[in-house]
């Protein structure tokens, strides 16, 4: 079939329109990258805001489509800007990672410190428990103070006599001034290791002010002492392993006082119960010890 003249004309018009459209688009793109004088003046004004929105023909342009320039008035290539932006982004990422690493290291250090502290505390607790277990046996732990040769038999009944005309207070055969500190150390001797003990120290609280009292290891193991009462100290203990206070006897109890008045006074220590691991009793109803058991005191 042959084409009519009308059809040929329409095809030619369509091709020409397409060619013109392509030429206009190419011209518009070339104009954006031409760098004409009038464009440079506008670019200079726009460059002050440095608003980068897109890349056209390999350079950055602002929101108005004008190329961005540097301080010398030259266009900033997209590759250079991208490199600068990339450097900033990389630095920001590095800083962020460094900060995160520092925080993680700090957290790890704190965790390690906490674990070390917890481990140390656990070890101390275990060591303390081991010491108590060892001390509960026949010999106790560590160096113990034996009954000294100057120790005297302790009174089983307290006595006191105030004397305002006296310059000092006599106690335990020694003299002290008002306000002085007095320490009484009791030494106990029992022929066989003790299974149980219970007793008390009584004193005149108008003459003496108790400041401290404590049992000495191994008597302090599996034992209780109440030093909060006004005129006495009470104590007791029980241990199946036994408390070793055999000859020559060892330091058992310490009571500390402050002198309030002058005159004479004598605290007393009595035992309601002392039995050994064979259930033999060494304390009588009157608190007097028997069967070779004895309690002696030293004042200082």
């Amino acid at each position: 079939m042959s084409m009519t003249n009308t059809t040929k004309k329409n095809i030619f018009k369509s091709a020409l329109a397409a060619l013109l459209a392509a030429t206009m688009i190419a011209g518009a793109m070339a104009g954006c990258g031409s760098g004409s004088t009038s464009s440079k003046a506008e670019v200079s004004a726009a460059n002050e805001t440095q608003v980068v929105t897109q890349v056209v023909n390999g350079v950055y342009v602002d929101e108005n489509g004008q190329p961005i320039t540097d301080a010398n008035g030259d266009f900033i290539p997209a590759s250079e800007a991208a490199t600068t932006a990339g450097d900033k982004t990389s630095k920001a990422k590095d800083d962020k990672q460094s900060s995160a690493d520092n925080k993680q290291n700090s957290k790890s250090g704190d965790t390690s410190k906490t674990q070390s502290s917890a481990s140390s505390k656990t070890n101390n607790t275990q060591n303390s428990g081991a010491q108590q277990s060892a001390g509960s046996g026949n010999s106790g732990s560590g160096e113990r103070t034996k009954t000294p040769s100057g120790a005297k038999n302790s009174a089983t009944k307290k006595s006191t006599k105030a004397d305002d005309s006296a310059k000092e207070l006599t106690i335990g055969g020694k003299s002290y001034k008002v306000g002085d500190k007095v320490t009484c150390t009791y030494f106990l001797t029992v022929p066989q290791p003790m299974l149980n003990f219970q007793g008390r120290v009584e004193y005149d609280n108008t003459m003496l002010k108790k400041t401290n009292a404590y049992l000495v290891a191994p008597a302090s193991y599996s034992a209780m002492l109440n030093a909060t009462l006004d005129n006495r100290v009470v104590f007791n203990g029980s241990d199946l392993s036994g408390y070793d206070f055999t000859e020559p006897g060892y330091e058992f109890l310490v009571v500390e006082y402050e002198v309030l008045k002058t005159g004479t006074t004598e605290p007393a220590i009595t035992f309601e119960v002392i039995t050994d691991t064979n259930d033999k009793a060494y304390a009588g109803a009157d608190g007097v010890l028997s069967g070779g058991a004895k309690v002696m005191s030293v004042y200082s």
Side-chain angles (χ1 to χ4, degrees):
M1 179 188 288
S2 60
M3 292 186 182
T4 63
N5 290 333
T6 302
T7 301
K8 289 181 178 180
K9 288 181 180 180
N10 288 339
I11 293 175
F12 178 79
K13 288 181 179 180
S14 298
L16 180 61
L19 178 62
L20 288 175
T23 302
M24 291 177 64
I25 292 174
M29 292 182 67
C32 289
S34 63
S36 64
T37 304
S38 60
S39 296
K40 272 198 174 182
E42 294 174 357
V43 166
S44 248
N47 189 46
E48 294 178 0
T49 60
Q50 294 291 303
V51 178
V52 178
T53 59
Q54 58 183 328
V55 178
V56 176
N57 287 348
V59 298
Y60 272 89
V61 298
D62 63 18
E63 57 189 354
N64 297 317
Q66 301 299 327
I68 306 270
T69 62
D70 58 21
N72 297 321
D74 297 326
F75 298 147
I76 300 177
S79 59
E80 179 182 334
T83 300
T84 302
D87 289 344
K88 291 181 179 180
T89 302
S90 177
K91 185 177 185 303
K93 289 175 67 178
D94 290 343
D95 290 344
K96 185 175 181 181
Q97 183 62 40
S98 177
S99 176
D101 290 342
N102 288 339
K103 289 182 179 179
Q104 182 62 34
N105 291 337
S106 175
K107 184 176 181 181
S108 298
D110 290 342
T111 301
S112 176
K113 185 176 180 182
T114 300
Q115 291 173 343
S116 176
S117 177
S119 177
S120 176
K121 185 179 291 185
T122 300
N123 289 337
N124 288 339
T125 301
Q126 290 174 343
N127 291 338
S128 176
Q131 182 180 12
Q132 179 168 342
S133 176
S136 297
N138 288 337
S139 62
S141 61
E143 189 67 23
R144 302 175 66 188
T145 303
K146 299 176 182 179
T147 306
S149 58
K152 296 181 178 180
N153 288 327
S154 299
T156 56
K157 292 184 179 180
K158 71 176 182 179
S159 62
T160 188
K161 182 180 179 181
D163 185 355
D164 295 336
S165 63
K167 294 181 180 180
E168 297 176 321
L169 173 70
T170 300
I171 177 174
K174 296 184 178 181
S175 299
Y176 301 88
K177 296 183 181 298
V178 173
D180 283 352
K181 306 301 180 183
V182 179
T183 299
C184 178
T185 304
Y186 294 98
F187 294 84
L188 180 64
T189 304
V190 180
Q192 297 295 324
M194 291 188 298
L195 176 65
N196 304 299
F197 65 84
Q198 178 175 307
R200 65 186 184 278
V201 172
E202 296 177 290
Y203 64 95
D204 186 342
N205 60 356
T206 65
M207 305 290 286
L208 297 169
K209 175 184 177 182
K210 179 181 72 266
T211 58
N212 194 21
Y214 56 91
L215 290 164
V216 179
S220 57
Y221 303 143
S222 302
M224 296 181 64
L225 180 147
N226 186 348
T228 63
L229 304 173
D230 286 338
N231 59 355
R232 64 189 184 278
V233 176
V234 296
F235 53 85
N236 62 62
S238 180
D239 195 323
L240 293 176
S241 298
Y243 302 95
D244 182 6
F245 283 87
T246 56
E247 290 285 353
Y250 298 96
E251 188 178 15
F252 173 78
L253 171 68
V254 176
V255 184
E256 299 172 354
Y257 304 98
E258 179 183 338
V259 176
L260 300 179
K261 290 184 178 181
T262 58
T264 59
T265 191
E266 196 70 32
I269 182 168
T270 56
F271 284 87
E272 292 89 20
V273 176
I274 289 184
T275 59
D276 66 18
T277 51
N278 295 317
D279 291 330
K280 181 178 178 178
Y282 295 87
D286 54 1
V288 177
L289 299 183
S290 61
K294 56 186 175 181
V295 59
M296 307 184 80
S297 59
V298 174
Y299 284 85
S300 59

